[in-house]
Amino acid sequence: MWSRMVSWLKEHDQRVFFLVNRKLNHALVGKLCERITHLGGARATILATLGIWMLAPKPVSTVGMQAFIALALSHIPVAIVKKTYPRLRPYLALPETITCSKPLKDHSFPSGHTTAIFSVIAPFVIAFNWIGFILIPVAMIIGMSRMTLGLHYPSDVAAGCVIGCLTAAGTVAFLG
């Protein structure tokens, strides 16, 4: 039963991946995704959270600090899971994948960019609910960009979202 469930999940993961990567992808979308995806990268997330923490007035600076700490903490489970469950990136496992110009070569599961962006936005959404209408779609687009670029499966992105949100929620709860 377990192997049937894993096979079903893998099949549907690949099906959704190809829907995003091949059917929804064209030149303009690919170029846009190559730019947008960096919003979930280390440089953008670290600079944004540090900048808000150091430069914004309270209570926004407090949320910036929570986001920075959540971002830093979120990389611990990502590193552990990537080592424990090494998964080839889609472009390495599926030859018909459309990929970006400089694809990463480390493990795919979970998506670090998705984890990072959700760990950063979650404290802001918790503190200022209304901003979720802007930040959640942006984070989702960054996650989708990871699939569009051939770097992650949907389950990688979903796991990143969960890890980022849980880490952020725990950080906010702990720091109050």
Side-chain angles (χ1 to χ4, degrees):
M1 176 162 150
W2 180 251
S3 66
R4 270 193 3 215
M5 188 170 80
V6 169
S7 293
W8 183 88
L9 287 171
K10 184 177 178 180
E11 176 188 331
H12 284 79
D13 209 23
Q14 288 180 3
R15 186 178 296 158
V16 173
F17 169 77
F18 279 126
L19 172 71
V20 173
N21 181 259
R22 297 191 55 88
K23 300 250 191 266
L24 303 179
N25 196 349
H26 58 76
L28 179 62
V29 171
K31 291 291 181 203
L32 221 75
C33 285
E34 284 194 21
R35 302 232 188 270
I36 290 170
T37 201
H38 294 297
L39 294 175
R43 184 179 307 142
T45 54
I46 291 169
L47 287 175
T49 55
L50 272 178
I52 293 167
W53 181 11
M54 298 298 165
L55 302 174
K58 288 194 184 271
V60 177
S61 64
T62 302
V63 180
M65 182 232 0
Q66 292 171 337
F68 178 78
I69 293 170
L71 173 65
L73 292 175
S74 73
H75 288 302
I76 297 168
V78 168
I80 292 168
V81 173
K82 279 188 186 263
K83 284 203 181 291
T84 308
Y85 302 102
R87 182 183 200 185
L88 285 177
R89 291 188 180 270
Y91 79 92
L92 294 170
L94 306 169
E96 57 275 8
T97 298
I98 299 169
T99 192
C100 58
S101 56
K102 297 178 192 170
L104 300 169
K105 293 191 176 17
D106 64 337
H107 299 302
S108 176
F109 184 81
S111 168
H113 281 69
T114 307
T115 302
I117 197 63
F118 276 95
S119 71
V120 167
I121 71 156
F124 289 95
V125 174
I126 292 167
F128 314 107
N129 302 55
W130 60 271
I131 205 163
F133 291 108
I134 298 165
L135 295 180
I136 293 170
V138 169
M140 291 172 69
I141 289 168
I142 292 167
M144 291 284 288
S145 77
R146 307 305 290 163
M147 291 183 282
T148 303
L149 296 172
L151 300 172
H152 288 288
Y153 295 98
S155 57
D156 302 340
V157 172
C161 174
V162 169
I163 292 169
C165 288
L166 289 177
T167 305
T171 301
V172 170
F174 184 75
L175 296 176

